[in-house]
Amino acid sequence: MNTWIVLLAAGSGSRLAAASGGAKKQFLDAGGSPVFWRSAQALARCAGVSGIVFVFPPDELDAAREAVDTLDASAPLGLDRRVVHGGARRQDSLENALSALPRECTHVLVHDAARCFVTPDVAARVLEALRSGAKAVIPAVPVKDTVKQVDAQGVVVATPERASLRAVQTPQGVELEALRAGFALARRENLTVTDDAGLVEALGLPVSVVEGSEANVKITTPEDLRLLAPARVPAALPRVGFGYDVHRYASEAEADAPNARPMVLGCAPIPGAPRVLAHSDGDVLLHALADALLGCLCLGDIGQHFPDTDPSLSGAASSVLVAEILARFAPAGLALVHVDLTVVAQVPKVGPHREHIRRNVAGLLGLAPERVNVKATTEEKLGFTGRKQGIKAYATATAVETGAPRAD
């Protein structure tokens, strides 16, 4: 499954125009970055996403493309990205985005940029349902208020049963083949739909529902602008987690063993380096980082959550494990602000790869590169690393409390 995000940020924002001084809501400030970028950062932290297509108003396309380039340079998403213009209707904007997708894309997560409070765990639930075979998936929350159906004269004509009602959110996940078929039907029958799954519904295919989040609100009315104001919270209390990991190098006799992995450090392949013996992909640096993140959360160590006895984790990408741990920060009321990483090895030389590793880790964590430090050292030919028998890594992670833990 190859999944891309489609971030719809092409709306006119007419209901907010007076309150926002004419600025479109997707470009408003949301804690130091535009609303659309905050949405992109959250979804980019969801493991299993390959790229993102931004959809902007045609008259602001050039300025928005430049803004994306600038933002990604300072805080990389770590994803392939494309920028296209929107259309007159939501479905027109989505269809424009589909034309920019690579051939290998099989599924899309379509998200309203104005839902900038989305968290990676909502997207992860949508992705999991798609992996299980669903053609279309929507996140939703139960409707709290009684809903009345009212006619043109303002008279109640029906009261739907509240228990069966759901308020639908984004990102909505759709199999690309089904979505293209839905567009073909919409053109033949001149259909207009208000959400992306509606195109699949029109084909008569089932749409699965997964748990959304009460916090995943959409900036729509002037009253919603207060949600973008900086929250007044007590002085943030820091938490520091420490991590350590070690991997042995494969001997000549072990070079072809099933668990002898090509060396990867911080998602960066290290050509010509010794192979490491490991159950997962053997990224010693990300394993140390994972333990440091778990230290901030007070949730034990990586072995408790991803044991090396689990056959499903054989060869698993360590970036996926880190992303799953990072997704627990927001619900715990924590924000990661800094990591410091050290590789200890006689071989290979890590220096030439340092900046590549740094940018990879920054993108994975959603941090600016200046908040990630990577360094390397030897042990002067002492110990097992000095004898070129293995490699080890240390990591510290610093997080601050953002307030009360969130229920989602």
Side-chain angles (χ1 to χ4, degrees), residues 32-247:
S33 60
V35 163
F36 80 83
W37 190 252
R38 181 164 171 173
S39 290
Q41 286 181 309
L43 295 179
R45 294 202 299 270
C46 181
V49 172
S50 300
I52 181 168
V53 178
F54 294 90
V55 188
F56 292 115
D59 60 337
E60 302 197 39
L61 185 63
D62 291 339
R65 181 182 283 112
E66 185 177 340
V68 168
D69 290 342
T70 301
L71 290 162
D72 197 59
S74 62
L77 295 178
L79 298 176
D80 288 341
R81 52 187 170 83
R82 316 248 170 113
V83 178
V84 300
H85 66 81
R89 301 172 300 172
R90 177 193 181 90
Q91 67 198 68
D92 299 327
S93 294
L94 177 54
E95 194 162 17
N96 284 353
L98 298 192
S99 67
L101 294 171
R103 267 191 229 175
E104 61 270 19
C105 178
T106 59
H107 296 76
V108 290
L109 292 181
V110 186
H111 186 65
D112 294 320
R115 289 188 184 273
C116 61
F117 305 107
V118 67
T119 52
D121 54 311
V122 175
R125 288 193 285 271
V126 174
L127 275 175
E128 185 56 36
L130 288 175
R131 290 191 189 100
S132 298
K135 298 289 186 181
V137 186
I138 55 175
V141 294
V143 173
K144 296 179 179 178
D145 300 320
T146 296
V147 176
K148 300 287 186 180
Q149 183 180 349
V150 181
D151 65 16
Q153 287 70 46
V155 177
V156 172
V157 296
T159 303
E161 173 55 48
R162 188 172 64 185
S164 65
L165 298 178
R166 295 293 183 272
V168 176
Q169 303 176 337
T170 64
Q172 298 189 2
V174 191
E175 181 190 74
L176 193 52
E177 184 178 347
L179 189 56
R180 293 191 193 280
F183 273 116
L185 176 66
R187 284 191 295 273
R188 288 196 304 271
E189 301 188 4
N190 196 27
L191 298 177
T192 295
V193 296
T194 57
D195 73 344
D196 320 299
L199 290 164
V200 177
E201 288 181 62
L203 294 170
L205 297 174
V207 175
S208 300
V209 179
V210 297
E211 181 186 357
S213 166
E214 295 290 349
N216 187 17
V217 298
K218 185 178 181 180
I219 303 299
T220 304
T221 66
E223 291 75 21
D224 296 331
L225 293 178
R226 60 184 172 77
L227 300 173
L228 299 178
R232 294 183 179 179
V233 297
L237 298 176
R239 295 193 190 186
V240 178
F242 173 78
Y244 169 79
D245 196 40
V246 58
H247 283 306

Side-chain angles (χ1 to χ4, degrees), residues 244-247 249 342-350 376-394:
Y244 169 79
D245 196 40
V246 58
H247 283 306
Y249 291 157
T342 303
V343 179
V344 183
Q346 197 71 34
V347 290
K349 296 294 183 184
V350 177
T377 186
T378 70
E379 289 183 310
E380 299 295 335
K381 300 184 179 181
L382 299 174
F384 75 91
T385 62
R387 294 190 294 272
K388 305 178 184 179
Q389 295 174 331
I391 187 170
K392 60 186 176 182
Y394 299 93

